[in-house]
Amino acid sequence: MKSTRMHLARAAVPVVALGALMASGTGTATAVTTWWYSSGPHGSGAAATFREQGDQLRVCDVNSDGYRALVDVQTAAGAHVYRVTDSYNDNRCTTVSAADGRHNIAEKRSYRLRVCVINTGQRPSYCKTSDPFYNDH
């Protein structure tokens, strides 16, 4: 009984963290073009949001467990555009945008987010790819 409760509690952590991530954003819900979540082993997970205004990508690790979040921005056809790895391993987020001069994506095109968890020294794993979204701002 105790192990079942612990398992359920551990499984709820990423969901709660994801809710906090989505609630902590500024602006209206329509400002978020797309968000995506990927879960990994032992409650690890990664989440990402993309806002068209300013091409802002927010990459978040959702559990302090040694894994980090990694997001590849890809064209709708799957070509690599750029990659962002969350600098943190403790439910905080890394945010990049067009304002930094390196993370601007073309307007009037479709993209996808490939969201993964990654452990130091290993390849990205437990990746999930978002549905395509259209960047028109």
Side-chain angles (χ1 to χ4, degrees), residues 29-113:
T30 58
V32 175
T33 299
T34 192
W35 68 269
W36 205 251
Y37 173 76
S38 177
S39 61
H42 313 295
S44 65
T49 60
F50 181 84
R51 295 181 189 277
E52 289 181 55
Q53 299 288 29
D55 294 347
Q56 183 183 71
L57 176 66
R58 188 172 184 193
V59 179
C60 304
D61 172 70
V62 298
N63 197 0
S64 184
D65 59 0
Y67 288 86
R68 294 186 300 157
L70 175 141
V71 174
D72 287 320
V73 176
Q74 303 173 332
T75 65
H80 178 79
V81 178
Y82 66 82
R83 172 177 280 181
V84 175
T85 303
D86 185 20
S87 301
Y88 307 102
N89 168 37
D90 57 1
N91 297 321
R92 290 190 288 168
C93 304
T94 296
T95 302
V96 298
S97 70
D100 67 19
R102 296 178 299 147
H103 298 96
N104 188 29
I105 61 174
E107 314 306 319
K108 310 287 186 217
R109 294 198 179 146
S110 293
Y111 296 90
R112 295 177 188 260
L113 301 179

Side-chain angles (χ1 to χ4, degrees), residues 10-27:
R10 227 179 302 141
V13 170
V15 175
V16 170
L18 179 60
L21 162 70
M22 298 313 296
S24 68
T26 58

Side-chain angles (χ1 to χ4, degrees), residues 118-132:
I118 188 167
N119 202 350
T120 304
Q122 296 182 2
R123 299 180 71 137
S125 58
Y126 302 96
C127 299
K128 293 190 179 169
T129 303
S130 72
D131 293 330

